[in-house]
Amino acid sequence: MLTTTSYSWTLPATLVFFLCLLSCSEGSTFTITNNCPYTIWPGTLAGAGTPQLPTTGFQLDSGRSVRIASVPGWSGRIWARTGCNFDESGVGTCETADCGGRLECDGNGATPPASLFEITLGKGNDKDFYDVSIVDGYNLPFVAQPHGVFGACNATGCSSNINMGCPKELQVVGANGGNEGGGGVIACKSACEAFGLDQFCCSGEFANPTTCRPSFYSSIFKRACPRAYSYAFDDGTSTFTCKAYDYAIIFCPTGNGVKGSGGTLSPPSIQDPISESPPSIQDPSIEKVQQMVSSSNIILPLPMQILLILVLLF
C-alpha cells in the first residue's frame, strides 16, 4: 500500500520533469491540423539565425494533422496556402499566401495577404513569445493553442471568417470562385497592401507607436479577432508568453464553411469565440476541435526523449 501511494504522488512530478526536459533540450513541436473542408498547403519560414524546420511546405488534406519538431530558440512563421497546384517537381502556384511558387517554401515567406502564426521559442527555462498576425492581411481562420510544461497557457488566433465581411476595396477574388466553392472572396488585404500609404504601413513618419495608430481598416480586423495583431504596434493585446512542449495550430477551428448534409456551405460566423472566453488548454471547445481530426494523421519524427519517457514510466 505504501509503495502504491508513493508512486501515485511521484508520477506527476516525473511527468513534469520529463516534459521540461523535452521542451528545454529539444524544443517544442508544432501540431498542424486542417479542419477546413478542403486541402491546404502549410508553409514555414525560419527567422534570421535559426535553422529551417524539417519541412518548409507540404500538402495537408482535410481532417489530417502533421507534427513537426523544432529546436530550442527557434524563431519563425507558420501559415497555410490555399488553391495550390504543383507539378511532380513541386513547382506551381497558390491562390493565397504563395511562397515563391514551390511546394517547399525553402526560405521564402508568404505573399500577402496571409494569416500568420509567429513565434520565438525560449532556450532553457526562458519563455516562448508567440502571436497571430493579420498585419499582412488575412486568408484563413486559425487558432494556436500551447500545451504548457508547467500549466495552462493562453490560446490565441483568429477564428472569424474575415473574408465574409471584408471591405470591397480589400477583397481578393479567386479565379476559381473561392475555396472549394465557398464564395468569390478568398482573402482580405491589409490597408497597407491595398493603398501603400505610410499611415497604414506604419512607415516613414508613422514608424513608431506614437504616430502609428489603429486605422478604420485595422479596427475591422481587431473587432473580428481581438487577440490577433491588426497593425504593427498592436503589442499590448496580441503578444503572449508561455513555456510549451507543443503548439496545436488548427486551421478552420470552428468548422467555418464546412459543407452540410445538403452539399451547401454553412455560413461562417463573424463572431470570434476567443473574445468571449479566453481559452486555455482545458477549453472544451478546443478539445472538441481536436477530437474532430481524423485518426489517420501524418506524424513526422519526434525527439527520442519521448521514447525514454515511456520506458522510464512503464
Side-chain angles (χ1 to χ4, degrees), residues 187-210:
C188 191
K189 296 178 183 179
S190 67
C192 174
E193 182 188 3
F195 308 117
L197 300 177
D198 287 351
Q199 66 190 77
F200 294 135
C201 300
C202 291
S203 57
E205 64 178 300
F206 297 94
N208 63 77
T210 301

Side-chain angles (χ1 to χ4, degrees), residues 66-85:
V66 166
R67 185 174 295 141
I68 306 174
S70 67
V71 296
W74 188 82
S75 176
R77 293 175 165 185
I78 297 173
W79 69 96
R81 297 162 285 175
T82 63
C84 300
N85 187 10

